[in-house]
Amino acid sequence: ASCFICQAQHFFKLTQALLKRVSKVLLEGPTPDGTAAASPGMWDGLLLPADAFLEAADEFVNALYVPQDPSFVSRALTAVTNPIRDLHVSLSLLGFAGRPAPTDDADYLVAQMKLLGIGRDVTSVGAGAEEKLAKDRKWFDACFAQLSKVAGAIVLDPNVPAT
C-alpha cells in the first residue's frame, strides 16, 4: 500500500501536467470552434478554477503536515479537487474534454457558463484541427480520470505512519 503523501505528490504532478497542457492547447489553437487562439472569454472562464485551485492547494499541503487530522485532510482534498472539476467542466464546454460525471454543482456551473456565453460550438471544427482536437480530448479525459483515481486513493489510515 502506498502512503497518502506519495499519492498527494502524484496528484500534484498530474495537476501540473494538466495546467501546462491547458495553456499549451489554448495558446496554440485552433480551438474547437475553429478560431486561431484562445479568446478573452475562454481565458476568463479558466481563471476562476485556476485561482481557486492555487488557494486550495496551499491548504491541502498544510493539511498534510504532521500530525494529520483525517477530517481536515479530507476537507482540504475536497477543496482542491473542486476547482479541478470546475476546470473539467470548462474544458468540456470549450470542446476540449468529455463531460465530467454529473453532480449538482457541475450542472449549476454548466448552466452559469452557458448564460455567460462561455460554451463553444464544437460542430464547426476545421478539417485540419479535427485530429488534433480528438488527441487533446483523449489526453484531457485520461488526465481527469487519473486525477479522480489518485484523489480517491488519498486516504488517511490512522494506523499507517505518514512517510
Side-chain angles (χ1 to χ4, degrees):
S2 60
C3 69
F4 69 93
I5 298 287
C6 300
Q7 292 295 331
Q9 182 182 20
H10 186 60
F11 176 82
F12 282 117
K13 285 181 179 181
L14 285 169
T15 305
Q16 181 183 19
L18 172 67
L19 296 176
K20 284 182 178 181
R21 183 72 177 241
V22 166
S23 296
K24 179 180 181 247
V25 166
L26 292 181
L27 287 174
E28 284 181 354
T31 59
D33 67 355
T35 58
S39 69
M42 289 174 76
W43 285 114
D44 290 345
L46 298 174
L47 283 178
L48 291 176
D51 287 345
F53 173 77
L54 289 175
E55 289 178 29
D58 190 43
E59 286 298 315
F60 180 60
V61 169
N62 287 336
L64 296 177
Y65 282 103
V66 176
Q68 291 95 9
D69 174 3
S71 64
F72 183 60
V73 172
S74 179
R75 285 192 310 272
L77 178 62
T78 299
V80 83
T81 56
N82 284 342
I84 297 298
R85 187 199 62 233
D86 294 347
L87 180 62
H88 191 171
V89 169
S90 297
L91 289 173
S92 173
L93 286 171
L94 296 171
F96 287 109
R99 181 86 191 264
T103 65
D104 291 339
D105 291 342
D107 291 338
Y108 173 78
L109 184 61
V110 168
Q112 293 301 310
M113 292 180 77
K114 285 184 178 177
L115 285 174
L116 294 172
I118 295 174
R120 290 288 186 213
D121 177 13
V122 296
T123 59
S124 60
V125 177
E130 193 170 325
E131 185 177 314
K132 182 183 180 316
L133 178 59
K135 182 179 172 185
D136 289 337
R137 279 186 185 152
K138 184 177 178 181
W139 190 94
F140 282 120
D141 289 343
C143 186
F144 284 119
Q146 188 65 24
L147 277 166
S148 178
K149 181 179 175 183
V150 170
I154 300 175
V155 275
L156 287 178
D157 181 349
N159 299 319
V160 176
T163 56

